[in-house]
Amino acid sequence: LLEKMADVSLKEAALIVGVVTACYWNSLFCGFVFDDVSAILDNKDLHPSTPLKNLFQNDFWGTPMSEERSHKSYRPLTVLTFRLNYLFSELNAVSYHFLNLVFHVVVCVVFLKVCKLFLDNRSSVVASLLFAVHPIHTEAVTGVVGRAELLSSIFFLAAFLSYTKSKGPDNTIVWTPIAVTVFLVAVATLCKEQGITVVGICCVYEVFIAQGYTLPVLLDTAVQILRGKGSIPFSMLQTLLKLIVLMFSTLLLVVVRVQVIQSQLPVFTRFDNPAAVSPSPARQLTFNYLLPVNAWLLLNPSELCCDWTMGTIPLVESVLDVRNVATLTFFCFLGSLIVFSLRYPGDSSKTVLMALCLIVLPFIPASNLFFPVGFVVAERVLYVPSMGFCILVAHGWKKLSNISVLRKISWVCLAAVLFTHALKTLHRNWDWESEYTLFMSALKVNKNNAKLWNNVGHALENEKNFERALQFFIQATQVQPDDIGAHMNVGRTYKNLNKTKEAEESYMIAKSLMPQIIPGKKYAARVAPNHLNVYINLANLIRANESRLEEADQLYRQAISMRPDFKQAYISRGELLLKMNKPLKAKEAYLRALELDRTNADLWYNLAIVYIELKDPAEALKNFNRALELNPTHKLALFNSALLMQESGDARLRPEAKQRLLHYVKEEPQDANGYFNLGMLAMDDKKDTEAEAWMKKAIKLQPNFRSALFNLALLYSQTGKELMALPVLEDLLRYYPDHTKGLILKGDILMNQKKDIVGAKKCFEKILELDPNNVQGKHNLCVVYFEERDLVKAEKCLVETLALAPHEEYIQRHLNIVRSKIASLSATEQSSLPADGTASAEEKKKTFKNLKEVKKEQKTTQTTVDNNKGHSENKKRTEKNNMDKETPKKSTKEIKDIEKKRVAALKRLEEIERILNGE
């Protein structure tokens, strides 16, 4: 490529670099907008974890080419450059825009070299500068997805330059440049489909430029041969041979391309391209009218719009439509140029011919002449055709500037055009700063496109400005009343505003607009697959009402009957069946979805959740692991598989559980649940200092984190730091005044450590206010009465407690102790206190601990709640157990045994809570 650019001087290249930089420097401050979201932000093919082979199996947007919803746009080399961007800067938009700017500079410099084949040096620079600053290019340069145009253009021009070297001395054939041309054509086509059209330009160049034929000469030769009055000249045979090689290689590329799209054309709706589904003559008249519309955008790029679909350009439905005059004028002008370029010899006609080739041939794939495309007008597809336009303008300027009378005015006009175009480009770049600015700028040009109103609504929706978004969505339904997507947007926004009745009404309108099923006719061919989401959205809305779950299930089944390969319907139905407590049917739904897509990590995750409901943790863990194999950063799979390992009680799984939780907090550094469960794992491993640090981090992120506060206080209490536990318990009880176990633990510490009988008594009385039948709280209140030496009250209290729990042996034992004290006092009429005060205190402590013994381990209960968001259920679980305290013994061995039991009992104090993400 550098060798081919040798004729471009350093000064010329520097001028182009400076001009392009001056026009596009502000594009570096733009974000990812419009199609960038699908091609960059939502495209998993950019991630290093995705195998490189996927780039050659999926379309430009990351959808498998085999899927019907694929747009069939096969541009793996362009996606590869996005992947390189992601490798170096992930989703930092600056690097993507910078690389686009660099590619535009390269195109401009290579284009200058091409211009020098047909124009003088000065005119070539003018054409290159016109191309560099033309505002029509902002979509291709400033829009990141426009890189497909830029890359394809580089190899497109390089292929052409290579072919120009295929003619050797004495009109011999040099095959190496032809082989390089074929290779570069293939590369250009892998960047964007229109790259293959350079073959047509090479053919025209060979016949009319390299061999110097004109149309009359060719016709005369053909007539002579047909009459048998002459033979085919050797030079013409050589030309035919070269053309056959070119055409054969092109045919091979076309066959490969057809195989790649599996002989299927993409599915577009009448909203994308209304003329494509219109009857004759409206279809033909409209498609022909679009040609002068595109020409006018090149000639006068004052009103640019990012989206020309839907009602932007009304259909030309009659031959009497005044717009047909523009079509007729365009074809007359184009025809006169074609006749001039093909009929007359000379440099001027050759220049015009090559300019026309650059305008017409690359535009053919977007012209709707051979197959429908998913747009009406697209400014980015004019990137290559604008090269021919700039050559024509530069050539015309050269003719004018050579006339002495017009020389000055021609220079003034050129300077004015370059300056105004550069200013327009600079200003237009700011429109691409965000989706809101882009679509608002489009609405200034065109208010008849419902898609633009919808897209402004989406931009506002992303900013959580639902009220304003709703206004734009409603306007979209008024502009295009039969737009299913617009009604779906209205319904979703009403749902976000918690107006479920209005949301349901909007979804019902959208549903009524869906085509009816025609037996024997493929449904998917008549409607955009994403419109089927109306059934999913409506079902998701009404399933919030427990009495309408069957109705929601009917909607899912209806969507599946319309489209048996509708994966999302199976996923959503599986979630609903779980909510309906039908895990076996949910399992069937997910397995059916996995038949359609075994590479979907969310599906394996959801299946794992089903196995948890089926009480099969081993199978659940296998499915979590499958999800993580497909997506190592699947947050919910990381979190829940770690909890499953933790709950298994298998110490061998704890290291892996810890690694997954560490990975989770790396992905979700602001989620306190990750740190809390790391703390619980550390407590399991007796790593108290580490556990304390994790708990504190969780509380720092979420100061009212109930489980973290309680377990941190519990950790302090079981490691001899009871006084440090008190302020933590104060925080817990400030947020949750009715936290029974927190009140019990606080009362325990106040009684044993602070000797604050009054404070402890308040805690236990608070428990009984909340739950008069709480055995533990009532029992500990009896201990307080005992400490207050009110033995009669203590006896009465214990009798009442024993009535609540008649099978608890320790309550009976403590009642016997109190009664023996009462009997002893009655017999001796002395205080029950021993003579030795120290011994008395020790006895009191032991008695209190005796009375604090709690009933044996209670079963942990876990609640499951369904929460649907996207493709997966957000199910998170933490632990919650019941309190248990030690019973003191006398021997050292027994004390050690008690300590072990105490630790085990304290473990049961940990709370189990199912943490779920909200919708």
Side-chain angles (χ1 to χ4, degrees), residues 383-450:
Y383 189 78
V384 176
S386 68
M387 294 178 185
F389 174 78
C390 291
I391 290 175
L392 272 182
V393 173
H395 182 58
W397 173 83
K398 173 191 170 186
K399 295 287 187 185
L400 290 175
S401 64
N402 286 338
I403 301 172
S404 58
V405 180
L406 300 175
R407 183 175 293 119
K408 286 186 178 180
I409 195 168
S410 66
W411 277 101
V412 170
C413 289
L414 175 66
V417 168
L418 289 173
F419 181 72
T420 54
H421 276 40
L423 273 184
K424 173 65 178 178
T425 299
L426 192 66
H427 181 264
R428 174 66 174 156
N429 288 335
W430 288 122
D431 291 340
W432 291 79
E433 186 177 11
S434 68
E435 293 213 318
Y436 179 77
T437 56
L438 179 64
F439 297 125
M440 285 301 289
S441 71
L443 281 176
K444 292 175 184 175
V445 175
N446 170 32
K447 290 181 170 58
N448 296 322
N449 186 341

Side-chain angles (χ1 to χ4, degrees), residues 53-68:
K53 66 177 183 179
N54 283 26
L55 271 65
F56 295 89
Q57 295 172 347
N58 298 342
D59 67 13
F60 188 52
W61 318 97
T63 306
M65 293 292 288
S66 58
E67 290 193 11
E68 191 170 18

Side-chain angles (χ1 to χ4, degrees), residues 34 37 307 310 434-437 439-440 443 450-474 476 483-493 496 507 530-531 537:
F34 203 14
V37 176
D307 194 314
M310 303 187 86
S434 68
E435 293 213 318
Y436 179 77
T437 56
F439 297 125
M440 285 301 289
L443 281 176
K451 192 173 176 182
L452 293 175
W453 293 99
N454 279 319
N455 284 334
V456 175
H458 287 310
L460 292 167
E461 189 179 32
N462 292 336
E463 296 171 2
K464 308 297 182 187
N465 191 344
F466 298 122
E467 292 286 356
R468 280 198 69 204
L470 182 61
Q471 296 172 13
F472 282 90
F473 289 142
I474 290 174
D483 182 6
I484 297 171
H487 291 287
M488 289 168 64
N489 292 334
V490 172
R492 186 183 61 255
T493 311
N496 289 331
Y507 284 141
N530 65 318
H531 283 172
N537 294 345

Side-chain angles (χ1 to χ4, degrees), residues 889-903:
K889 303 292 176 185
K890 294 178 182 178
S891 71
T892 305
K893 183 177 181 302
E894 287 173 330
I895 289 172
K896 286 183 178 179
D897 289 339
I898 286 297
E899 183 58 26
K900 288 180 182 177
K901 289 179 182 178
R902 179 176 182 268
V903 171

Side-chain angles (χ1 to χ4, degrees), residues 81-285:
T81 66
F82 292 150
R83 186 168 171 134
L84 291 173
N85 270 120
Y86 188 92
L87 186 66
F88 288 106
S89 64
E90 293 196 350
L91 294 176
N92 180 2
V94 174
S95 74
Y96 294 80
H97 287 293
F98 177 75
L99 199 53
N100 272 24
L101 191 153
V102 171
F103 285 145
H104 184 51
V105 168
V106 174
V107 173
C108 292
V109 174
V110 181
F111 177 56
L112 174 58
K113 171 63 179 171
V114 171
C115 290
K116 290 189 176 186
L117 295 174
F118 314 110
L119 295 169
D120 61 32
N121 198 58
R122 188 173 62 184
S123 300
S124 298
V125 173
V126 168
S128 185
L129 289 177
L130 283 169
F131 179 79
V133 303
H134 203 296
I136 202 74
H137 299 154
T138 49
E139 183 171 340
V141 181
T142 310
V144 178
V145 294
R147 184 177 300 177
E149 316 290 337
L150 307 175
L151 279 173
S152 180
S153 298
I154 291 172
F155 295 107
F156 179 101
L157 295 174
F160 177 69
L161 285 172
S162 176
Y163 186 80
T164 60
K165 297 182 180 295
S166 65
K167 182 181 177 181
D170 300 323
N171 208 21
T172 56
I173 301 174
V174 184
W175 289 106
T176 302
I178 295 176
V180 172
T181 297
V182 172
F183 171 75
L184 290 173
V185 169
V187 174
T189 306
L190 290 175
C191 293
K192 193 178 179 185
E193 298 78 2
Q194 70 181 27
I196 202 169
T197 59
V198 72
V199 173
I201 294 173
C202 291
C203 290
V204 172
Y205 173 83
E206 176 66 31
V207 174
F208 295 100
I209 310 299
Q211 301 302 326
Y213 295 120
T214 61
L215 192 58
V217 171
L218 288 174
L219 290 173
D220 185 57
T221 305
V223 168
Q224 294 296 325
I225 293 170
L226 289 173
R227 288 179 177 177
K229 295 182 179 179
S231 60
I232 301 175
F234 179 71
S235 62
M236 191 172 284
L237 286 173
Q238 284 188 311
T239 300
L240 282 172
L241 180 61
K242 289 169 77 174
L243 294 183
I244 288 169
V245 170
L246 274 180
M247 297 309 294
F248 179 78
S249 60
T250 304
L251 184 63
L252 190 63
L253 284 174
V254 170
V255 170
V256 171
R257 183 69 175 81
V258 170
Q259 288 295 315
V260 166
I261 66 171
Q262 301 184 0
S263 303
Q264 291 179 338
L265 288 174
V267 177
F268 297 117
T269 70
R270 60 191 176 84
F271 300 114
D272 297 317
N273 189 349
V277 294
S278 298
S280 298
R283 181 168 65 251
Q284 291 78 12
L285 291 175

